Each structure stands twice: as C-alpha cells, then as structure tokens.
Amino acid sequence: MGAMMPGMKTEVRNRLLLRIDKLQLMLPQGDVCAVESVADLNSENALAPSVGRITYLGQSWPVLSLNGELQTLDNIPAARRACVMLATGKGFLGLLCDDVRVLNQQSGSDYALPAAMRTANTPIQAIMPFENSLACLSDARHLLRYGAFAQVTSGHLEKEYV
Amino acid sequence: MSSANAWLLDIGDGRQVAIGQRELIQIMDAQDSFEVPLAPAHMREVIFWQKRAVPVMQLPLRLGGRACAGSILALVAFHDAVSNSAGLGAIHLAAPPIRVLVDDNQASSLEEAAWVDMAISCFEQQGKSIPVLDLSRLFAAIH
C-alpha cells in the first residue's frame, strides 16, 4: 500500500442500506444504478417471478418483490416505497424495498458470515451489527445468482425479461 | 482407569450432551442474538462477542426436535481445521451447565444414529446416554 501524500484522502466507498421488512440489506453504492418510486411500477401482465416492470433509461425492466427472509413474493406489500435498479450486465433489474439510505462505510465493521451459517444459495456474504440490529451485506454479483434474480436474468426467460 | 472433567449441557427437548471442560468459555444471555436470513434452521442466530461473529446453534432442531426456549447460551471453543485457528460457537441451553467427572467405565455407544455426525463419543450418566459433541464438525461444516 502506498504512503499517503499531503492532500490525499482515503477513499471511502459508501454503501446503501435497503430495508425490506425487518431485513437491513447493505449493498455497495456502485451496485445500485438508480432508485425509482414504486408508484412508477406497472404491474399489468407481470411475468412471475417479477411483480411488474419499471421504466429506466427509456426501457422497461422487471421488478422483484421479496420479504425480509429474501423469499420471492407475488405481491407488493404496502411498505414497499422504493425500487433500486441493479445492473445485470445485459440490462437492469428492479428490487423493491421499504426505504434506502446512503451510509458511510466507516459506520461499522463487517464480519464474514460464519461458515456454519452459509447455505449454498445465500447471497449474504457478511454481517454487521448496525443500529441495535443486524445488517446483512451482499452485492449485485451475489444477488443476481440468487433465486428469483437468477431466474429472471438467465436462460430463456432473459429474452422476455431484459 | 482414567477420568476427565466435562460439562453436561441441557439443550432442551429432554436432551443432554457433554463437552470437554476446556471447551466451555462462558455462559451468556441469548437475548443479544440476531437472526440471519437463509441460514440453516438450526443455525439462524448469530451473536457478536469480542469482535467475533459467533454462530448460535439450536441442537434440537438439528435432530428434528423442538427449539430450546431457554435464554442461556454456552459459548464454546473448537479447533477450526479450515483456518487452523480457534473457532467460536454458541449453543442454546435450557439450564446452566453442570460439571461432571467421567471415567472410562461410563463409555457407551451412541444410541441415535443422528448423533454419528455430531458426537465423538458417548457415556452413561445416571442411566442416560450422553453424546460428547464434536464441536469442530458442528460449527465448521458448510451446509
């Protein structure tokens, strides 16, 4: 690691905190391209597992609704107000959440998820005590391999979705 | 005839297990634990202790029984073969641990096949078969 020169600042990469029910999900800020309003979601002719589509950068993209256990829902709970747009590599995917906050990375120390708690399909890579609760850390790469995310962004469904 | 001290742990659901005397680090309050989504049902909780994330095990759930409702945690140490370092885990208890002296005459075989992957040995104590936990396998395994 190079020495700090006068005037240099340590790069601080922010994180976004998504709240979905009681789940606090932290993602790198760079993994979220935009935050849209759930009011702009079009639920007509939604193709499962998505609950609708949202327009971003002039095109329409699928949107997923999850609960606090990261299980896919076929409905939109009233608490969901925001939709974060994740880049899939070939397009975008929306994820509904209750609210979104920008955090400074130095707001806490994260811990790798203990080996015994890791299941093959979990997108959660680390955890952090945060505001008297727990935050789960993931990123777009791991989310997009998980459950409904992978279903939407892979295989034959990809053409229909993104 | 050799003997050794062990801790008898009441893990709830009418079950008792044992660990080595030096494997028990501390008794704690379970109220400070957090649940992690998508973790195995018997290992959904985590606590933070001395800058470590410590998985908390519900042993009865691993055996297909009912979760221990007690608010006591046994903090235990084990050898983590992957990192070749000391690992930490916690086990839900229904009652405080009891220290017992076990000798070779008490050795027995495991009564339940379910314990084979989780116990290194077994002994008889007051007519009950007590599995001795293999903490390294319980807490280091990736499910």
Side-chain angles (χ1 to χ4, degrees), chain A residues 69 111 115-119 123-124 129 133-134 146, chain B residues 34 37-40 43-45 48 51 139 141 143:
Chain A
E69 292 291 317
Y111 301 80
M117 303 183 78
R118 288 182 204 161
T119 46
I124 298 170
S133 186
L134 182 80
Y146 166 70
Chain B
F34 303 101
L38 302 176
M43 200 84 81
R44 275 182 61 85
E45 293 172 77
F48 294 96
K51 298 185 177 180
F139 285 103
H143 300 260

mmCIF file with all atom_site columns, all heavy atoms in Angstrom, chain A residues 69 111 115-119 123-124 129 133-134 146, chain B residues 34 37-40 43-45 48 51 139 141 143:
data_model
loop_
_atom_site.group_PDB
_atom_site.id
_atom_site.type_symbol
_atom_site.label_atom_id
_atom_site.label_alt_id
_atom_site.label_comp_id
_atom_site.label_asym_id
_atom_site.label_entity_id
_atom_site.label_seq_id
_atom_site.pdbx_PDB_ins_code
_atom_site.Cartn_x
_atom_site.Cartn_y
_atom_site.Cartn_z
_atom_site.occupancy
_atom_site.B_iso_or_equiv
_atom_site.pdbx_formal_charge
_atom_site.auth_seq_id
_atom_site.auth_comp_id
_atom_site.auth_asym_id
_atom_site.auth_atom_id
_atom_site.pdbx_PDB_model_num
ATOM 1   N N   . GLU A 1 69  ? -37.091 -12.333 4.556  1.00 0.00 ? 69  GLU A N   1
ATOM 2   C CA  . GLU A 1 69  ? -36.317 -13.575 4.541  1.00 0.00 ? 69  GLU A CA  1
ATOM 3   C C   . GLU A 1 69  ? -35.705 -13.812 3.163  1.00 0.00 ? 69  GLU A C   1
ATOM 4   O O   . GLU A 1 69  ? -35.208 -14.901 2.888  1.00 0.00 ? 69  GLU A O   1
ATOM 5   C CB  . GLU A 1 69  ? -37.222 -14.760 4.906  1.00 0.00 ? 69  GLU A CB  1
ATOM 6   C CG  . GLU A 1 69  ? -37.703 -14.736 6.349  1.00 0.00 ? 69  GLU A CG  1
ATOM 7   C CD  . GLU A 1 69  ? -36.581 -14.990 7.339  1.00 0.00 ? 69  GLU A CD  1
ATOM 8   O OE1 . GLU A 1 69  ? -35.770 -15.892 7.086  1.00 0.00 ? 69  GLU A OE1 1
ATOM 9   O OE2 . GLU A 1 69  ? -36.507 -14.265 8.346  1.00 0.00 ? 69  GLU A OE2 1
ATOM 10  N N   . TYR A 1 111 ? -18.322 -8.437  9.393  1.00 0.00 ? 111 TYR A N   1
ATOM 11  C CA  . TYR A 1 111 ? -17.778 -9.749  9.737  1.00 0.00 ? 111 TYR A CA  1
ATOM 12  C C   . TYR A 1 111 ? -18.227 -10.744 8.673  1.00 0.00 ? 111 TYR A C   1
ATOM 13  O O   . TYR A 1 111 ? -19.395 -10.741 8.284  1.00 0.00 ? 111 TYR A O   1
ATOM 14  C CB  . TYR A 1 111 ? -18.313 -10.217 11.086 1.00 0.00 ? 111 TYR A CB  1
ATOM 15  C CG  . TYR A 1 111 ? -18.000 -9.303  12.244 1.00 0.00 ? 111 TYR A CG  1
ATOM 16  C CD1 . TYR A 1 111 ? -18.751 -8.148  12.467 1.00 0.00 ? 111 TYR A CD1 1
ATOM 17  C CD2 . TYR A 1 111 ? -16.964 -9.586  13.123 1.00 0.00 ? 111 TYR A CD2 1
ATOM 18  C CE1 . TYR A 1 111 ? -18.472 -7.296  13.524 1.00 0.00 ? 111 TYR A CE1 1
ATOM 19  C CE2 . TYR A 1 111 ? -16.678 -8.743  14.184 1.00 0.00 ? 111 TYR A CE2 1
ATOM 20  C CZ  . TYR A 1 111 ? -17.433 -7.605  14.385 1.00 0.00 ? 111 TYR A CZ  1
ATOM 21  O OH  . TYR A 1 111 ? -17.160 -6.776  15.430 1.00 0.00 ? 111 TYR A OH  1
ATOM 22  N N   . ALA A 1 115 ? -18.937 -19.846 8.647  1.00 0.00 ? 115 ALA A N   1
ATOM 23  C CA  . ALA A 1 115 ? -19.063 -20.943 7.677  1.00 0.00 ? 115 ALA A CA  1
ATOM 24  C C   . ALA A 1 115 ? -20.290 -21.805 7.935  1.00 0.00 ? 115 ALA A C   1
ATOM 25  O O   . ALA A 1 115 ? -20.974 -22.221 7.000  1.00 0.00 ? 115 ALA A O   1
ATOM 26  C CB  . ALA A 1 115 ? -17.800 -21.805 7.711  1.00 0.00 ? 115 ALA A CB  1
ATOM 27  N N   . ALA A 1 116 ? -20.588 -22.054 9.190  1.00 0.00 ? 116 ALA A N   1
ATOM 28  C CA  . ALA A 1 116 ? -21.714 -22.936 9.514  1.00 0.00 ? 116 ALA A CA  1
ATOM 29  C C   . ALA A 1 116 ? -23.055 -22.318 9.152  1.00 0.00 ? 116 ALA A C   1
ATOM 30  O O   . ALA A 1 116 ? -24.075 -23.010 9.135  1.00 0.00 ? 116 ALA A O   1
ATOM 31  C CB  . ALA A 1 116 ? -21.689 -23.273 11.005 1.00 0.00 ? 116 ALA A CB  1
ATOM 32  N N   . MET A 1 117 ? -23.077 -21.013 8.902  1.00 0.00 ? 117 MET A N   1
ATOM 33  C CA  . MET A 1 117 ? -24.341 -20.336 8.600  1.00 0.00 ? 117 MET A CA  1
ATOM 34  C C   . MET A 1 117 ? -24.540 -20.127 7.104  1.00 0.00 ? 117 MET A C   1
ATOM 35  O O   . MET A 1 117 ? -25.564 -19.608 6.679  1.00 0.00 ? 117 MET A O   1
ATOM 36  C CB  . MET A 1 117 ? -24.391 -18.983 9.316  1.00 0.00 ? 117 MET A CB  1
ATOM 37  C CG  . MET A 1 117 ? -24.220 -19.103 10.815 1.00 0.00 ? 117 MET A CG  1
ATOM 38  S SD  . MET A 1 117 ? -24.367 -17.542 11.667 1.00 0.00 ? 117 MET A SD  1
ATOM 39  C CE  . MET A 1 117 ? -26.146 -17.331 11.674 1.00 0.00 ? 117 MET A CE  1
ATOM 40  N N   . ARG A 1 118 ? -23.552 -20.521 6.313  1.00 0.00 ? 118 ARG A N   1
ATOM 41  C CA  . ARG A 1 118 ? -23.646 -20.304 4.867  1.00 0.00 ? 118 ARG A CA  1
ATOM 42  C C   . ARG A 1 118 ? -24.358 -21.470 4.197  1.00 0.00 ? 118 ARG A C   1
ATOM 43  O O   . ARG A 1 118 ? -23.953 -22.608 4.326  1.00 0.00 ? 118 ARG A O   1
ATOM 44  C CB  . ARG A 1 118 ? -22.246 -20.171 4.260  1.00 0.00 ? 118 ARG A CB  1
ATOM 45  C CG  . ARG A 1 118 ? -21.583 -18.883 4.613  1.00 0.00 ? 118 ARG A CG  1
ATOM 46  C CD  . ARG A 1 118 ? -20.223 -18.792 3.954  1.00 0.00 ? 118 ARG A CD  1
ATOM 47  N NE  . ARG A 1 118 ? -19.375 -17.882 4.708  1.00 0.00 ? 118 ARG A NE  1
ATOM 48  C CZ  . ARG A 1 118 ? -18.072 -17.849 4.623  1.00 0.00 ? 118 ARG A CZ  1
ATOM 49  N NH1 . ARG A 1 118 ? -17.444 -18.679 3.807  1.00 0.00 ? 118 ARG A NH1 1
ATOM 50  N NH2 . ARG A 1 118 ? -17.383 -16.989 5.337  1.00 0.00 ? 118 ARG A NH2 1
ATOM 51  N N   . THR A 1 119 ? -25.388 -21.149 3.459  1.00 0.00 ? 119 THR A N   1
ATOM 52  C CA  . THR A 1 119 ? -26.035 -22.155 2.626  1.00 0.00 ? 119 THR A CA  1
ATOM 53  C C   . THR A 1 119 ? -25.585 -21.916 1.187  1.00 0.00 ? 119 THR A C   1
ATOM 54  O O   . THR A 1 119 ? -25.069 -20.838 0.852  1.00 0.00 ? 119 THR A O   1
ATOM 55  C CB  . THR A 1 119 ? -27.561 -22.049 2.719  1.00 0.00 ? 119 THR A CB  1
ATOM 56  O OG1 . THR A 1 119 ? -27.938 -20.681 2.604  1.00 0.00 ? 119 THR A OG1 1
ATOM 57  C CG2 . THR A 1 119 ? -28.058 -22.574 4.051  1.00 0.00 ? 119 THR A CG2 1
ATOM 58  N N   . PRO A 1 123 ? -27.063 -15.162 -0.778 1.00 0.00 ? 123 PRO A N   1
ATOM 59  C CA  . PRO A 1 123 ? -26.301 -14.035 -1.324 1.00 0.00 ? 123 PRO A CA  1
ATOM 60  C C   . PRO A 1 123 ? -25.629 -13.211 -0.221 1.00 0.00 ? 123 PRO A C   1
ATOM 61  O O   . PRO A 1 123 ? -24.900 -12.273 -0.518 1.00 0.00 ? 123 PRO A O   1
ATOM 62  C CB  . PRO A 1 123 ? -27.388 -13.205 -2.024 1.00 0.00 ? 123 PRO A CB  1
ATOM 63  C CG  . PRO A 1 123 ? -28.619 -13.471 -1.230 1.00 0.00 ? 123 PRO A CG  1
ATOM 64  C CD  . PRO A 1 123 ? -28.505 -14.875 -0.698 1.00 0.00 ? 123 PRO A CD  1
ATOM 65  N N   . ILE A 1 124 ? -25.891 -13.570 1.039  1.00 0.00 ? 124 ILE A N   1
ATOM 66  C CA  . ILE A 1 124 ? -25.333 -12.797 2.153  1.00 0.00 ? 124 ILE A CA  1
ATOM 67  C C   . ILE A 1 124 ? -23.881 -13.220 2.370  1.00 0.00 ? 124 ILE A C   1
ATOM 68  O O   . ILE A 1 124 ? -23.595 -14.389 2.617  1.00 0.00 ? 124 ILE A O   1
ATOM 69  C CB  . ILE A 1 124 ? -26.166 -13.019 3.437  1.00 0.00 ? 124 ILE A CB  1
ATOM 70  C CG1 . ILE A 1 124 ? -27.592 -12.514 3.216  1.00 0.00 ? 124 ILE A CG1 1
ATOM 71  C CG2 . ILE A 1 124 ? -25.520 -12.309 4.627  1.00 0.00 ? 124 ILE A CG2 1
ATOM 72  C CD1 . ILE A 1 124 ? -28.558 -12.906 4.320  1.00 0.00 ? 124 ILE A CD1 1
ATOM 73  N N   . PRO A 1 129 ? -23.236 -5.620  13.052 1.00 0.00 ? 129 PRO A N   1
ATOM 74  C CA  . PRO A 1 129 ? -24.199 -5.034  13.997 1.00 0.00 ? 129 PRO A CA  1
ATOM 75  C C   . PRO A 1 129 ? -24.429 -3.585  13.599 1.00 0.00 ? 129 PRO A C   1
ATOM 76  O O   . PRO A 1 129 ? -23.468 -2.852  13.340 1.00 0.00 ? 129 PRO A O   1
ATOM 77  C CB  . PRO A 1 129 ? -23.492 -5.146  15.355 1.00 0.00 ? 129 PRO A CB  1
ATOM 78  C CG  . PRO A 1 129 ? -22.058 -5.349  15.054 1.00 0.00 ? 129 PRO A CG  1
ATOM 79  C CD  . PRO A 1 129 ? -21.932 -5.905  13.675 1.00 0.00 ? 129 PRO A CD  1
ATOM 80  N N   . SER A 1 133 ? -29.406 -3.535  15.653 1.00 0.00 ? 133 SER A N   1
ATOM 81  C CA  . SER A 1 133 ? -29.954 -4.639  14.885 1.00 0.00 ? 133 SER A CA  1
ATOM 82  C C   . SER A 1 133 ? -28.818 -5.262  14.071 1.00 0.00 ? 133 SER A C   1
ATOM 83  O O   . SER A 1 133 ? -27.646 -5.069  14.398 1.00 0.00 ? 133 SER A O   1
ATOM 84  C CB  . SER A 1 133 ? -31.071 -4.131  13.984 1.00 0.00 ? 133 SER A CB  1
ATOM 85  O OG  . SER A 1 133 ? -31.704 -5.202  13.332 1.00 0.00 ? 133 SER A OG  1
ATOM 86  N N   . LEU A 1 134 ? -29.186 -5.997  13.053 1.00 0.00 ? 134 LEU A N   1
ATOM 87  C CA  . LEU A 1 134 ? -28.188 -6.660  12.217 1.00 0.00 ? 134 LEU A CA  1
ATOM 88  C C   . LEU A 1 134 ? -28.346 -6.193  10.786 1.00 0.00 ? 134 LEU A C   1
ATOM 89  O O   . LEU A 1 134 ? -29.463 -6.093  10.285 1.00 0.00 ? 134 LEU A O   1
ATOM 90  C CB  . LEU A 1 134 ? -28.381 -8.181  12.269 1.00 0.00 ? 134 LEU A CB  1
ATOM 91  C CG  . LEU A 1 134 ? -27.367 -8.998  11.482 1.00 0.00 ? 134 LEU A CG  1
ATOM 92  C CD1 . LEU A 1 134 ? -26.069 -9.152  12.264 1.00 0.00 ? 134 LEU A CD1 1
ATOM 93  C CD2 . LEU A 1 134 ? -27.917 -10.377 11.136 1.00 0.00 ? 134 LEU A CD2 1
ATOM 94  N N   . TYR A 1 146 ? -28.841 -15.424 -7.125 1.00 0.00 ? 146 TYR A N   1
ATOM 95  C CA  . TYR A 1 146 ? -29.721 -15.997 -6.116 1.00 0.00 ? 146 TYR A CA  1
ATOM 96  C C   . TYR A 1 146 ? -31.173 -16.083 -6.592 1.00 0.00 ? 146 TYR A C   1
ATOM 97  O O   . TYR A 1 146 ? -31.725 -15.109 -7.101 1.00 0.00 ? 146 TYR A O   1
ATOM 98  C CB  . TYR A 1 146 ? -29.635 -15.149 -4.842 1.00 0.00 ? 146 TYR A CB  1
ATOM 99  C CG  . TYR A 1 146 ? -30.732 -15.434 -3.840 1.00 0.00 ? 146 TYR A CG  1
ATOM 100 C CD1 . TYR A 1 146 ? -30.768 -16.635 -3.147 1.00 0.00 ? 146 TYR A CD1 1
ATOM 101 C CD2 . TYR A 1 146 ? -31.737 -14.498 -3.603 1.00 0.00 ? 146 TYR A CD2 1
ATOM 102 C CE1 . TYR A 1 146 ? -31.778 -16.902 -2.244 1.00 0.00 ? 146 TYR A CE1 1
ATOM 103 C CE2 . TYR A 1 146 ? -32.750 -14.748 -2.691 1.00 0.00 ? 146 TYR A CE2 1
ATOM 104 C CZ  . TYR A 1 146 ? -32.763 -15.957 -2.017 1.00 0.00 ? 146 TYR A CZ  1
ATOM 105 O OH  . TYR A 1 146 ? -33.762 -16.216 -1.127 1.00 0.00 ? 146 TYR A OH  1
ATOM 106 N N   . PHE B 2 34  ? -29.003 -12.193 16.931 1.00 0.00 ? 34  PHE B N   1
ATOM 107 C CA  . PHE B 2 34  ? -29.710 -11.708 15.739 1.00 0.00 ? 34  PHE B CA  1
ATOM 108 C C   . PHE B 2 34  ? -29.937 -12.880 14.790 1.00 0.00 ? 34  PHE B C   1
ATOM 109 O O   . PHE B 2 34  ? -29.114 -13.786 14.714 1.00 0.00 ? 34  PHE B O   1
ATOM 110 C CB  . PHE B 2 34  ? -28.877 -10.654 15.006 1.00 0.00 ? 34  PHE B CB  1
ATOM 111 C CG  . PHE B 2 34  ? -28.508 -9.475  15.858 1.00 0.00 ? 34  PHE B CG  1
ATOM 112 C CD1 . PHE B 2 34  ? -27.238 -9.372  16.413 1.00 0.00 ? 34  PHE B CD1 1
ATOM 113 C CD2 . PHE B 2 34  ? -29.414 -8.457  16.111 1.00 0.00 ? 34  PHE B CD2 1
ATOM 114 C CE1 . PHE B 2 34  ? -26.887 -8.294  17.200 1.00 0.00 ? 34  PHE B CE1 1
ATOM 115 C CE2 . PHE B 2 34  ? -29.075 -7.374  16.892 1.00 0.00 ? 34  PHE B CE2 1
ATOM 116 C CZ  . PHE B 2 34  ? -27.806 -7.288  17.440 1.00 0.00 ? 34  PHE B CZ  1
ATOM 117 N N   . PRO B 2 37  ? -31.160 -14.283 7.671  1.00 0.00 ? 37  PRO B N   1
ATOM 118 C CA  . PRO B 2 37  ? -31.988 -14.951 6.669  1.00 0.00 ? 37  PRO B CA  1
ATOM 119 C C   . PRO B 2 37  ? -31.191 -15.996 5.888  1.00 0.00 ? 37  PRO B C   1
ATOM 120 O O   . PRO B 2 37  ? -29.987 -15.832 5.673  1.00 0.00 ? 37  PRO B O   1
ATOM 121 C CB  . PRO B 2 37  ? -32.409 -13.805 5.731  1.00 0.00 ? 37  PRO B CB  1
ATOM 122 C CG  . PRO B 2 37  ? -32.249 -12.571 6.529  1.00 0.00 ? 37  PRO B CG  1
ATOM 123 C CD  . PRO B 2 37  ? -31.101 -12.827 7.474  1.00 0.00 ? 37  PRO B CD  1
ATOM 124 N N   . LEU B 2 38  ? -31.867 -17.051 5.503  1.00 0.00 ? 38  LEU B N   1
ATOM 125 C CA  . LEU B 2 38  ? -31.329 -18.115 4.651  1.00 0.00 ? 38  LEU B CA  1
ATOM 126 C C   . LEU B 2 38  ? -30.273 -18.990 5.317  1.00 0.00 ? 38  LEU B C   1
ATOM 127 O O   . LEU B 2 38  ? -29.729 -19.886 4.684  1.00 0.00 ? 38  LEU B O   1
ATOM 128 C CB  . LEU B 2 38  ? -30.762 -17.536 3.333  1.00 0.00 ? 38  LEU B CB  1
ATOM 129 C CG  . LEU B 2 38  ? -31.751 -16.748 2.478  1.00 0.00 ? 38  LEU B CG  1
ATOM 130 C CD1 . LEU B 2 38  ? -31.042 -16.145 1.272  1.00 0.00 ? 38  LEU B CD1 1
ATOM 131 C CD2 . LEU B 2 38  ? -32.893 -17.635 2.013  1.00 0.00 ? 38  LEU B CD2 1
ATOM 132 N N   . ALA B 2 39  ? -29.973 -18.730 6.579  1.00 0.00 ? 39  ALA B N   1
ATOM 133 C CA  . ALA B 2 39  ? -29.046 -19.620 7.289  1.00 0.00 ? 39  ALA B CA  1
ATOM 134 C C   . ALA B 2 39  ? -29.793 -20.918 7.619  1.00 0.00 ? 39  ALA B C   1
ATOM 135 O O   . ALA B 2 39  ? -31.027 -20.929 7.655  1.00 0.00 ? 39  ALA B O   1
ATOM 136 C CB  . ALA B 2 39  ? -28.547 -18.950 8.555  1.00 0.00 ? 39  ALA B CB  1
ATOM 137 N N   . PRO B 2 40  ? -29.076 -22.022 7.877  1.00 0.00 ? 40  PRO B N   1
ATOM 138 C CA  . PRO B 2 40  ? -29.761 -23.277 8.228  1.00 0.00 ? 40  PRO B CA  1
ATOM 139 C C   . PRO B 2 40  ? -30.660 -23.083 9.445  1.00 0.00 ? 40  PRO B C   1
ATOM 140 O O   . PRO B 2 40  ? -30.339 -22.296 10.338 1.00 0.00 ? 40  PRO B O   1
ATOM 141 C CB  . PRO B 2 40  ? -28.601 -24.223 8.554  1.00 0.00 ? 40  PRO B CB  1
ATOM 142 C CG  . PRO B 2 40  ? -27.420 -23.653 7.857  1.00 0.00 ? 40  PRO B CG  1
ATOM 143 C CD  . PRO B 2 40  ? -27.616 -22.176 7.851  1.00 0.00 ? 40  PRO B CD  1
ATOM 144 N N   . MET B 2 43  ? -29.161 -23.046 12.769 1.00 0.00 ? 43  MET B N   1
ATOM 145 C CA  . MET B 2 43  ? -28.015 -22.144 12.940 1.00 0.00 ? 43  MET B CA  1
ATOM 146 C C   . MET B 2 43  ? -28.364 -20.753 12.388 1.00 0.00 ? 43  MET B C   1
ATOM 147 O O   . MET B 2 43  ? -27.588 -20.132 11.687 1.00 0.00 ? 43  MET B O   1
ATOM 148 C CB  . MET B 2 43  ? -26.816 -22.726 12.191 1.00 0.00 ? 43  MET B CB  1
ATOM 149 C CG  . MET B 2 43  ? -25.470 -22.221 12.601 1.00 0.00 ? 43  MET B CG  1
ATOM 150 S SD  . MET B 2 43  ? -24.775 -23.044 14.024 1.00 0.00 ? 43  MET B SD  1
ATOM 151 C CE  . MET B 2 43  ? -24.110 -24.535 13.284 1.00 0.00 ? 43  MET B CE  1
ATOM 152 N N   . ARG B 2 44  ? -29.554 -20.275 12.728 1.00 0.00 ? 44  ARG B N   1
ATOM 153 C CA  . ARG B 2 44  ? -30.021 -18.991 12.174 1.00 0.00 ? 44  ARG B CA  1
ATOM 154 C C   . ARG B 2 44  ? -29.533 -17.788 12.962 1.00 0.00 ? 44  ARG B C   1
ATOM 155 O O   . ARG B 2 44  ? -29.576 -16.662 12.468 1.00 0.00 ? 44  ARG B O   1
ATOM 156 C CB  . ARG B 2 44  ? -31.556 -18.957 12.169 1.00 0.00 ? 44  ARG B CB  1
ATOM 157 C CG  . ARG B 2 44  ? -32.176 -19.607 10.957 1.00 0.00 ? 44  ARG B CG  1
ATOM 158 C CD  . ARG B 2 44  ? -33.687 -19.482 11.003 1.00 0.00 ? 44  ARG B CD  1
ATOM 159 N NE  . ARG B 2 44  ? -34.143 -18.103 11.010 1.00 0.00 ? 44  ARG B NE  1
ATOM 160 C CZ  . ARG B 2 44  ? -34.321 -17.379 9.909  1.00 0.00 ? 44  ARG B CZ  1
ATOM 161 N NH1 . ARG B 2 44  ? -34.068 -17.888 8.740  1.00 0.00 ? 44  ARG B NH1 1
ATOM 162 N NH2 . ARG B 2 44  ? -34.770 -16.146 10.005 1.00 0.00 ? 44  ARG B NH2 1
ATOM 163 N N   . GLU B 2 45  ? -29.120 -18.008 14.207 1.00 0.00 ? 45  GLU B N   1
ATOM 164 C CA  . GLU B 2 45  ? -28.777 -16.867 15.059 1.00 0.00 ? 45  GLU B CA  1
ATOM 165 C C   . GLU B 2 45  ? -27.271 -16.638 15.103 1.00 0.00 ? 45  GLU B C   1
ATOM 166 O O   . GLU B 2 45  ? -26.479 -17.563 14.961 1.00 0.00 ? 45  GLU B O   1
ATOM 167 C CB  . GLU B 2 45  ? -29.267 -17.107 16.480 1.00 0.00 ? 45  GLU B CB  1
ATOM 168 C CG  . GLU B 2 45  ? -30.763 -17.130 16.643 1.00 0.00 ? 45  GLU B CG  1
ATOM 169 C CD  . GLU B 2 45  ? -31.110 -17.574 18.051 1.00 0.00 ? 45  GLU B CD  1
ATOM 170 O OE1 . GLU B 2 45  ? -30.993 -16.776 18.979 1.00 0.00 ? 45  GLU B OE1 1
ATOM 171 O OE2 . GLU B 2 45  ? -31.472 -18.749 18.208 1.00 0.00 ? 45  GLU B OE2 1
ATOM 172 N N   . PHE B 2 48  ? -22.418 -11.269 18.556 1.00 0.00 ? 48  PHE B N   1
ATOM 173 C CA  . PHE B 2 48  ? -21.102 -10.648 18.390 1.00 0.00 ? 48  PHE B CA  1
ATOM 174 C C   . PHE B 2 48  ? -20.429 -10.637 19.756 1.00 0.00 ? 48  PHE B C   1
ATOM 175 O O   . PHE B 2 48  ? -20.988 -10.126 20.730 1.00 0.00 ? 48  PHE B O   1
ATOM 176 C CB  . PHE B 2 48  ? -21.244 -9.233  17.817 1.00 0.00 ? 48  PHE B CB  1
ATOM 177 C CG  . PHE B 2 48  ? -21.792 -9.239  16.427 1.00 0.00 ? 48  PHE B CG  1
ATOM 178 C CD1 . PHE B 2 48  ? -23.162 -9.057  16.203 1.00 0.00 ? 48  PHE B CD1 1
ATOM 179 C CD2 . PHE B 2 48  ? -20.972 -9.467  15.337 1.00 0.00 ? 48  PHE B CD2 1
ATOM 180 C CE1 . PHE B 2 48  ? -23.682 -9.094  14.922 1.00 0.00 ? 48  PHE B CE1 1
ATOM 181 C CE2 . PHE B 2 48  ? -21.495 -9.509  14.047 1.00 0.00 ? 48  PHE B CE2 1
ATOM 182 C CZ  . PHE B 2 48  ? -22.851 -9.316  13.848 1.00 0.00 ? 48  PHE B CZ  1
ATOM 183 N N   . LYS B 2 51  ? -15.412 -8.846  19.188 1.00 0.00 ? 51  LYS B N   1
ATOM 184 C CA  . LYS B 2 51  ? -15.102 -8.580  17.788 1.00 0.00 ? 51  LYS B CA  1
ATOM 185 C C   . LYS B 2 51  ? -15.102 -9.846  16.932 1.00 0.00 ? 51  LYS B C   1
ATOM 186 O O   . LYS B 2 51  ? -14.362 -9.952  15.950 1.00 0.00 ? 51  LYS B O   1
ATOM 187 C CB  . LYS B 2 51  ? -13.773 -7.834  17.655 1.00 0.00 ? 51  LYS B CB  1
ATOM 188 C CG  . LYS B 2 51  ? -13.791 -6.473  18.335 1.00 0.00 ? 51  LYS B CG  1
ATOM 189 C CD  . LYS B 2 51  ? -12.521 -5.705  18.102 1.00 0.00 ? 51  LYS B CD  1
ATOM 190 C CE  . LYS B 2 51  ? -12.618 -4.324  18.743 1.00 0.00 ? 51  LYS B CE  1
ATOM 191 N NZ  . LYS B 2 51  ? -11.410 -3.528  18.556 1.00 0.00 ? 51  LYS B NZ  1
ATOM 192 N N   . PHE B 2 139 ? -19.603 -26.833 14.057 1.00 0.00 ? 139 PHE B N   1
ATOM 193 C CA  . PHE B 2 139 ? -19.541 -25.394 13.742 1.00 0.00 ? 139 PHE B CA  1
ATOM 194 C C   . PHE B 2 139 ? -18.703 -25.057 12.513 1.00 0.00 ? 139 PHE B C   1
ATOM 195 O O   . PHE B 2 139 ? -18.819 -23.948 11.999 1.00 0.00 ? 139 PHE B O   1
ATOM 196 C CB  . PHE B 2 139 ? -19.003 -24.623 14.951 1.00 0.00 ? 139 PHE B CB  1
ATOM 197 C CG  . PHE B 2 139 ? -20.016 -24.494 16.054 1.00 0.00 ? 139 PHE B CG  1
ATOM 198 C CD1 . PHE B 2 139 ? -19.933 -25.284 17.177 1.00 0.00 ? 139 PHE B CD1 1
ATOM 199 C CD2 . PHE B 2 139 ? -21.060 -23.597 15.946 1.00 0.00 ? 139 PHE B CD2 1
ATOM 200 C CE1 . PHE B 2 139 ? -20.865 -25.190 18.196 1.00 0.00 ? 139 PHE B CE1 1
ATOM 201 C CE2 . PHE B 2 139 ? -22.004 -23.484 16.946 1.00 0.00 ? 139 PHE B CE2 1
ATOM 202 C CZ  . PHE B 2 139 ? -21.913 -24.276 18.083 1.00 0.00 ? 139 PHE B CZ  1
ATOM 203 N N   . ALA B 2 141 ? -18.645 -26.944 9.685  1.00 0.00 ? 141 ALA B N   1
ATOM 204 C CA  . ALA B 2 141 ? -19.212 -27.510 8.464  1.00 0.00 ? 141 ALA B CA  1
ATOM 205 C C   . ALA B 2 141 ? -19.940 -26.449 7.651  1.00 0.00 ? 141 ALA B C   1
ATOM 206 O O   . ALA B 2 141 ? -20.623 -25.609 8.195  1.00 0.00 ? 141 ALA B O   1
ATOM 207 C CB  . ALA B 2 141 ? -20.179 -28.626 8.807  1.00 0.00 ? 141 ALA B CB  1
ATOM 208 N N   . HIS B 2 143 ? -22.879 -25.994 5.123  1.00 0.00 ? 143 HIS B N   1
ATOM 209 C CA  . HIS B 2 143 ? -24.074 -26.785 4.818  1.00 0.00 ? 143 HIS B CA  1
ATOM 210 C C   . HIS B 2 143 ? -24.455 -26.645 3.354  1.00 0.00 ? 143 HIS B C   1
ATOM 211 O O   . HIS B 2 143 ? -24.259 -25.623 2.770  1.00 0.00 ? 143 HIS B O   1
ATOM 212 C CB  . HIS B 2 143 ? -25.233 -26.323 5.706  1.00 0.00 ? 143 HIS B CB  1
ATOM 213 C CG  . HIS B 2 143 ? -24.900 -26.497 7.159  1.00 0.00 ? 143 HIS B CG  1
ATOM 214 N ND1 . HIS B 2 143 ? -25.345 -27.543 7.912  1.00 0.00 ? 143 HIS B ND1 1
ATOM 215 C CD2 . HIS B 2 143 ? -24.121 -25.755 7.987  1.00 0.00 ? 143 HIS B CD2 1
ATOM 216 C CE1 . HIS B 2 143 ? -24.874 -27.429 9.134  1.00 0.00 ? 143 HIS B CE1 1
ATOM 217 N NE2 . HIS B 2 143 ? -24.138 -26.366 9.208  1.00 0.00 ? 143 HIS B NE2 1
#
